[in-house]
Amino acid sequence: MNYRHAYHAGNFADVVKHVILTRIVLYLQRKEQAFRVMDTHAGIGRYDLKGTEAGKTSEWVNGVGRLMGAKLDPQVAELLAPYLDIIRAENVDGQMRHYPGSPLIVRHLLRKQDRLSALELHPQDAKLLAEVFEGDFQTRVTELDGWLALGAHLPPKEKRGLVLIDPPFEVGGEFDRLVEGLARAHKRFSGGTFALWYPVKDIQQLRRFTDMLADTGIPKILRTELMIRAPSAEPRLDGTGMIIVNPPFTLEAELQTILPALSKILSDEPNAGFRVDWIRGEQVDA
């Protein structure tokens, strides 16, 4: 299954992933010191929900479309407000036409001292991404294989920040590359925060992935998953997951508030479920 961003813009996985992204970036803002966000698989930046790719699947309707029309409890609404404000800013007439990808969401949140490195391997996508950020001195767009950047481009000169690794899973072996890339990057930037997205499709494969992550020895690894249905017999996207290394100390509690609401809004089945737990860390579940 191909998870290239353009075909799935604004779907349930994007919603969960980007809500988590906003919470991490907002936490980084708590210190005046500058930070850098590196987006290793940045995509094109802004997606036309009526365009060829997104229009072919219309997955956004059951993702961000549901969330925009949902009634939220005050505590949940406060935590989701930064994300929803960005969506509204990209659709000023109130009609859902555009969905911001991860680099554009990050850019909305940067302060004047912060920087964004957006990497994209596909030449056409990299060109479109560069057009989105043309003239923006805080954002550097590079046509490059994001896996390579996990070595040569780390640590950032700011010495603090977030690395978002969100591969399209177009080819086999992406779970192995996630673990290998994380291990390599963590050695160079052990104090940084890393967020790794993955599809929930093959439970056996995910167990192996979890075991490999635990075997890295990296001290603080938080896992979060949200399911929209029970595991399927046929290969399809049943849920979305993120691994967060060195997560903000506030993030686990925020997710325990946010995910029940998102599960209720985004799931196709009642009680499809979610989880937030530690693969490695002081609070690893028994």
Side-chain angles (χ1 to χ4, degrees):
M1 187 177 291
N2 185 326
Y3 300 106
R4 194 171 179 190
H5 298 110
Y7 289 94
H8 310 286
N11 73 352
F12 77 95
D14 262 2
V15 170
V16 178
K17 171 173 57 185
H18 292 152
V19 166
I20 295 172
L21 177 62
T22 62
R23 299 315 308 169
I24 295 173
V25 174
L26 288 169
Y27 181 82
L28 289 170
Q29 292 180 358
R30 293 190 177 193
K31 291 184 179 179
E32 185 63 25
Q33 181 186 356
F35 62 82
R36 181 176 295 269
V37 176
M38 177 188 289
D39 191 338
T40 64
H41 298 76
I44 64 174
R46 179 183 287 114
Y47 298 90
D48 182 354
L49 297 178
K50 307 297 184 184
T52 302
E53 293 89 351
K56 187 176 293 185
T57 63
S58 296
E59 290 184 13
W60 70 271
V61 174
N62 291 323
V64 68
R66 287 186 185 179
L67 181 58
M68 294 299 287
K71 184 177 181 180
L72 303 170
D73 291 339
Q75 189 176 8
V76 175
E78 182 179 359
L79 292 170
L80 295 184
Y83 167 73
L84 294 175
D85 286 346
I86 293 169
I87 302 302
R88 294 187 185 101
E90 290 291 321
N91 296 277
V92 292
D93 61 357
Q95 301 296 314
M96 283 297 299
R97 178 62 190 258
H98 298 106
Y99 187 82
S102 51
L104 195 53
I105 286 174
V106 169
R107 185 62 186 92
H108 273 276
L109 297 172
L110 294 186
R111 305 163 302 176
K112 63 181 181 180
Q113 65 267 44
D114 306 321
R115 297 293 183 269
L116 167 64
S117 294
L119 313 175
E120 177 53 49
L121 175 61
H122 293 272
Q124 184 179 2
D125 288 359
K127 181 177 182 293
L128 293 172
L129 183 65
E131 291 173 358
V132 170
F133 293 108
E134 185 176 3
D136 183 352
F137 73 92
Q138 288 182 249
T139 300
R140 181 177 181 179
V141 175
T142 306
E143 184 182 327
L144 181 70
D145 185 343
W147 297 116
L148 299 178
L150 296 177
H153 288 225
L154 292 175
K157 66 178 183 180
E158 293 82 3
K159 306 301 182 185
R160 64 186 299 257
L162 165 68
V163 179
L164 174 64
I165 308 173
D166 179 19
F169 284 81
E170 291 179 302
V171 295
E174 293 286 55
F175 284 104
D176 296 271
R177 273 186 285 275
L178 278 174
V179 177
E180 293 165 3
L182 172 63
R184 184 170 70 251
H186 187 266
K187 288 180 180 179
R188 299 181 64 92
F189 189 32
S190 61
T193 297
F194 296 84
L196 290 66
W197 179 82
Y198 60 93
V200 177
K201 185 177 68 169
D202 184 329
I203 300 303
Q204 291 299 116
Q205 190 176 47
L206 291 182
R207 287 174 181 159
R208 177 174 171 271
F209 176 51
T210 300
D211 290 342
M212 288 192 297
L213 286 168
D215 289 343
T216 63
I218 294 172
K220 298 178 182 178
I221 305 179
L222 183 69
R223 169 177 57 185
T224 179
E225 292 180 353
L226 183 142
M227 305 295 293
I228 61 168
R229 63 178 74 91
S232 308
E234 68 276 13
R236 62 174 179 169
L237 188 63
D238 296 320
T240 180
M242 286 196 83
I243 297 295
I244 305 102
V245 172
N246 295 328
F249 79 94
T250 54
L251 185 62
E252 182 181 11
E254 289 179 349
L255 292 176
Q256 294 288 4
T257 299
I258 292 169
L259 291 181
L262 290 184
S263 179
K264 184 177 180 180
I265 294 166
L266 301 175
S267 296
D268 292 339
E269 299 175 358
N271 304 314
F274 68 91
R275 68 172 163 190
V276 182
D277 59 5
W278 291 86
I279 293 174
R280 284 187 62 92
E282 295 179 1
Q283 300 146 296
V284 172
D285 291 352

